[in-house]
Amino acid sequence: MPNMNKNQITAAMVAIGDELLSGRTQDRNIAYLAAFLNIKGIELHEVRIVADNHEDIIAAVNNLRNRYNYVFTSGGIGPTHDDITTDAIGAAFELQVDYHPVAFPLLETHYKQRKMEFTPARQKMARTPVGADLIDNCVSVAPGFRVENVYVMAGVPDIFKAMVLSIEPELNGGEILLSANIDCSYGEGTIGDPLAAIAKKHKDSSIGSYPRFDGNRYSTQIVVRARSQEALDAAVSDIETMLVHQRSL
Amino acid sequence: MPNMNKNQITAAMVAIGDELLSGRTQDRNIAYLAAFLNIKGIELHEVRIVADNHEDIIAAVNNLRNRYNYVFTSGGIGPTHDDITTDAIGAAFELQVDYHPVAFPLLETHYKQRKMEFTPARQKMARTPVGADLIDNCVSVAPGFRVENVYVMAGVPDIFKAMVLSIEPELNGGEILLSANIDCSYGEGTIGDPLAAIAKKHKDSSIGSYPRFDGNRYSTQIVVRARSQEALDAAVSDIETMLVHQRSL
């Protein structure tokens, strides 16, 4: 990353669910949140994937919430016995968990209108740590919630996305990095040395190098990120000159 | 999870790369490793995604390697300046990093045969912490390596997979859980209460409930896992009876 930013806003994520650790489910929420935060200028520093395990959830959330501006969680707030995130978040903050005074009538009305029984399992989705703020769910009504800097959201990708978009206005964004992508038909082994020299020269840019392998040959995508257009242009210009030089070798 | 297993073998993974935290890349190695370990009877307890940051890699690896039988890493062992995993692993173990006596001539010969220059960038891929064992790479030759219980592998998915398969024979597998999947056309809110009662009764099974939402209505996949066929069958039978009862309501 380029030099530290006075307006730096940082975040971590905890993705919760046995199914993510058994290979049953390919997570899609991490990449979605990562792209969303990138656009907001919020730096996602760390993601942890943990099982539906009370102690593991508490340990991850308590470790991360003191180190980053925001922590976002996915998963474990549904109606079944293996949805234990709400109680773990309560325990992490040493807060009682109870039916939320807004969420409970909201869900009660929702199921009444649909002529569905408001079962204890569905009532479970109205529970939050006491004092939590709700996170709207325009897909299936049952809300997420926020305690201090921890945003607790659903694991179903469509609902996770809806919840992220509903909290968007209240998140403080940081400075957004400018970026440029350069596709390069050479493998990393070919351009590694001159690119390292350019990265060393342009300390106010961050230069990432991402190999691609089509099963036969390598190419590279180079990503330059910087806080100013001048810094970005200078690094990109040096990289393009280097690539022209490679072609002439 | 069902009661602790005397033959329990545990693991954690560290996926390394700025691109995973910026949303640029959807990780595919985590789900692959998770499914692979599940088949081997190795329990994946935790995954951390960290940036290409020296201290972050060291902290994650040192935290996890003392708590689990195995730690697997992906990413950051290529030829470019932003590939810093090898040095971070060396620092985590307080080992010098140097050209590996087998890896260096292996790569030297490889590039010579292909009439490609063995540049310093390519030589970088022959560096490991001193004393590391190599992990074969049948895709692109440049090896991964193992230090004690930490397996350091590439981030490119085809190469990551090849490295995982090459270490497979040396990993100690644990007891493999039996499992059964039951597709259920009811949403979790409908079956949540009776399913919780069944889960409470069948303490020697682990019953997971996974909601699906097609944009219109919910269904549920129920996954039962157990160490014995009797335990599995008993839980599955009670779930099927419950579902028949639901249909008659």
Side-chain angles (χ1 to χ4, degrees):
Chain A
M1 282 291 112
N3 341 327
M4 286 288 284
N5 175 2
K6 275 178 287 184
N7 300 319
Q8 191 181 35
I9 313 273
T10 61
M13 175 177 180
V14 184
I16 300 161
D18 289 351
E19 71 280 16
L20 304 173
L21 294 169
S22 71
R24 187 186 162 279
T25 301
Q26 162 75 58
D27 170 85
R28 287 153 51 195
N29 298 325
I30 296 170
Y32 176 79
L33 183 72
F36 167 84
L37 294 177
N38 195 40
I39 292 167
K40 284 287 284 185
I42 298 172
E43 297 175 17
L44 180 61
H45 280 232
E46 185 173 349
V47 177
R48 297 193 187 180
I49 306 177
V50 299
D52 296 310
N53 175 292
H54 192 69
E55 281 71 31
D56 290 353
I57 298 169
I58 294 170
V61 168
N62 277 344
N63 180 289
L64 298 170
R65 71 187 175 92
N66 294 314
R67 293 164 51 213
Y68 300 107
N69 295 106
Y70 296 117
V71 174
F72 303 93
T73 80
S74 65
I77 60 168
T80 54
H81 63 283
D82 58 344
D83 289 304
I84 64 168
T85 298
T86 300
D87 285 298
I89 299 293
F93 283 96
E94 299 182 8
L95 289 170
Q96 294 294 315
V97 173
D98 207 344
Y99 295 110
H100 189 282
V102 175
F104 194 91
L106 179 79
L107 285 173
E108 190 172 36
T109 304
H110 169 69
Y111 288 110
K112 195 171 184 179
Q113 285 171 342
R114 302 180 73 191
K115 299 195 195 320
M116 292 166 77
E117 193 185 346
F118 192 33
T119 58
R122 293 189 174 112
Q123 291 173 28
K124 188 167 175 270
M125 294 190 286
R127 296 172 74 246
T128 70
V130 171
D133 284 337
L134 298 183
I135 298 174
D136 284 348
N137 168 2
C138 65
V139 174
S140 59
V141 182
F145 60 86
R146 177 184 66 80
V147 181
E148 296 182 14
N149 62 337
V150 179
Y151 291 78
V152 178
M153 298 181 282
V156 175
D158 286 342
I159 305 176
F160 182 81
K161 282 184 196 178
M163 289 184 174
V164 168
L165 294 177
S166 90
I167 62 174
E168 193 272 336
E170 70 182 84
L171 298 176
N172 293 313
E175 192 183 339
I176 295 166
L177 290 182
L178 303 171
S179 74
N181 295 331
I182 302 169
D183 280 312
C184 157
S185 58
Y186 302 102
E188 287 193 313
T190 303
I191 59 163
D193 294 318
L195 192 65
I198 293 169
K200 201 168 177 183
K201 177 180 165 194
H202 293 272
K203 291 216 184 298
D204 46 2
S205 287
S206 153
I207 301 177
S209 171
Y210 303 107
R212 287 173 173 164
F213 182 63
D214 65 7
N216 186 28
R217 57 171 291 163
Y218 282 92
S219 60
T220 307
Q221 188 175 45
I222 302 169
V223 179
V224 186
R225 303 176 81 195
R227 301 203 186 286
S228 78
Q229 194 66 48
E230 292 82 354
L232 190 76
D233 291 346
V236 167
S237 169
D238 276 2
I239 292 166
E240 286 175 342
T241 302
M242 179 270 285
L243 293 176
V244 169
H245 179 68
Q246 282 295 327
R247 266 172 230 127
S248 70
L249 287 183
Chain B
M1 282 291 112
N3 342 326
M4 286 288 283
N5 174 4
K6 277 178 285 183
N7 300 320
Q8 190 180 37
I9 313 273
T10 61
M13 176 177 179
V14 184
I16 299 162
D18 289 352
E19 71 280 16
L20 304 174
L21 295 169
S22 71
R24 186 186 162 279
T25 301
Q26 162 75 59
D27 170 84
R28 287 155 50 196
N29 298 325
I30 296 170
Y32 176 79
L33 184 73
F36 168 84
L37 294 177
N38 195 40
I39 291 167
K40 283 286 284 185
I42 298 173
E43 297 175 16
L44 180 61
H45 279 233
E46 184 172 350
V47 176
R48 297 194 186 179
I49 306 177
V50 300
D52 295 309
N53 177 292
H54 191 70
E55 281 71 30
D56 290 354
I57 298 169
I58 295 170
V61 168
N62 276 344
N63 180 290
L64 298 170
R65 71 188 175 92
N66 294 313
R67 292 164 52 212
Y68 301 107
N69 294 106
Y70 296 117
V71 174
F72 304 94
T73 80
S74 66
I77 60 168
T80 54
H81 64 281
D82 58 344
D83 289 305
I84 65 168
T85 297
T86 300
D87 284 299
I89 299 294
F93 283 95
E94 299 182 9
L95 289 171
Q96 293 294 314
V97 173
D98 206 344
Y99 297 108
H100 189 281
V102 175
F104 193 91
L106 178 81
L107 285 173
E108 191 172 35
T109 304
H110 169 69
Y111 288 111
K112 196 170 181 179
Q113 285 172 341
R114 302 181 74 191
K115 300 195 195 317
M116 293 166 75
E117 193 185 347
F118 192 34
T119 57
R122 293 191 174 112
Q123 291 173 27
K124 187 168 176 271
M125 294 190 287
R127 295 172 75 245
T128 70
V130 171
D133 284 336
L134 298 183
I135 298 174
D136 283 347
N137 168 1
C138 66
V139 174
S140 59
V141 183
F145 60 86
R146 176 184 67 78
V147 181
E148 295 183 13
N149 63 337
V150 179
Y151 291 78
V152 178
M153 298 181 282
V156 175
D158 286 340
I159 305 176
F160 181 81
K161 282 184 196 177
M163 289 182 174
V164 169
L165 294 179
S166 90
I167 62 174
E168 192 272 335
E170 70 182 86
L171 298 176
N172 293 312
E175 193 183 338
I176 296 165
L177 291 183
L178 302 172
S179 74
N181 294 332
I182 301 168
D183 280 312
C184 156
S185 58
Y186 302 102
E188 287 193 313
T190 303
I191 59 163
D193 294 318
L195 192 65
I198 293 169
K200 201 169 177 181
K201 178 180 164 195
H202 293 273
K203 290 215 184 297
D204 46 2
S205 288
S206 152
I207 301 177
S209 170
Y210 302 107
R212 287 173 173 164
F213 182 64
D214 65 6
N216 186 28
R217 58 171 290 162
Y218 283 93
S219 61
T220 306
Q221 187 176 45
I222 301 169
V223 179
V224 186
R225 302 176 82 195
R227 301 203 186 284
S228 78
Q229 194 67 47
E230 291 82 352
L232 190 77
D233 291 346
V236 168
S237 169
D238 275 4
I239 292 167
E240 286 176 343
T241 302
M242 179 270 284
L243 292 176
V244 170
H245 180 68
Q246 281 296 327
R247 266 172 229 126
S248 69
L249 287 183

